[in-house]
């Protein structure tokens, strides 16, 4: 089993910053160490959308809406995933989820939920204007 736990969400004003973390745990976490990882978000009434994905080679793909403002990173063991979010906008308000792919990815996975099978429960980010 693989368990993902997000943290770091909160309420900020527009222009502010937050850093999200995702801890990869569970007895099978080593089995997904080379898999792709990503951050997704879902606002009320909207579909879940990909924010950024990363492969085990370090390559990343960002959604256009967050390029230049958000940065994904991970610790050397790939058991903690981070999302640094700067210059936040009200449109960034959503529940943020981390996820791990079913398969190994050297390159960054596509910006789609389809390859991802492990999901955390999310952390809420609220940005006020």
């Amino acid at each position: 089993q693989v368990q993902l736990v997000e943290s770091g969400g909160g309420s900020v004003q527009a222009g502010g910053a937050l850093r999200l973390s995702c801890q990869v745990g569970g007895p099978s976490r080593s089995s997904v160490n080379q898999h792709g990882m990503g951050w997704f978000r879902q606002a009320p009434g909207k579909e879940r959308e990909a924010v950024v994905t990363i492969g085990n080679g370090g390559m990343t793909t960002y959604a256009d809406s967050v390029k230049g403002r958000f940065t994904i990173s991970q610790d050397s063991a790939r058991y903690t995933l981070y999302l640094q979010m700067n210059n936040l906008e009200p449109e960034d308000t959503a529940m943020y989820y981390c996820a791990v792919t079913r398969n190994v990815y050297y390159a960054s996975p596509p910006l789609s939920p389809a390859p991802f099978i492990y999901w955390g429960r999310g952390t809420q980010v609220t940005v006020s204007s």
Side-chain angles (χ1 to χ4, degrees):
Q1 288 183 340
V2 176
Q3 298 160 352
L4 306 178
V5 180
E6 303 94 337
S7 61
S11 296
V12 297
Q13 290 190 329
L18 285 172
R19 189 191 195 204
L20 306 184
S21 298
C22 172
Q23 189 69 35
V24 181
S28 300
R29 71 171 187 171
S30 62
S31 69
V32 299
N33 187 249
Q34 297 302 307
H35 291 206
M37 302 182 74
W39 286 97
F40 291 76
R41 66 187 181 186
Q42 187 167 20
K46 294 188 177 181
E47 292 187 355
R48 188 169 298 188
E49 64 173 356
V51 174
V52 57
T53 64
I54 185 169
N56 66 40
M59 283 178 276
T60 58
T61 300
Y62 288 87
D64 288 343
S65 60
V66 306
K67 282 181 181 177
R69 301 188 298 122
F70 291 11
T71 304
I72 191 172
S73 62
Q74 54 195 171
D75 68 346
S76 58
R78 302 192 83 234
Y79 289 138
T80 305
L81 187 69
Y82 301 100
L83 183 65
Q84 178 66 44
M85 305 186 295
N86 297 329
N87 194 21
L88 283 160
E89 303 169 352
E91 293 74 21
D92 297 318
T93 295
M95 186 73 78
Y96 283 71
Y97 302 89
C98 66
V100 174
T101 59
R102 175 182 291 104
N103 299 316
V104 172
Y105 273 86
Y106 176 77
S108 53
L111 291 175
S112 165
F116 295 83
I117 61 167
Y118 298 107
W119 295 84
R121 294 188 176 186
T123 185
Q124 178 68 38
V125 172
T126 302
V127 185
S128 59
S129 57

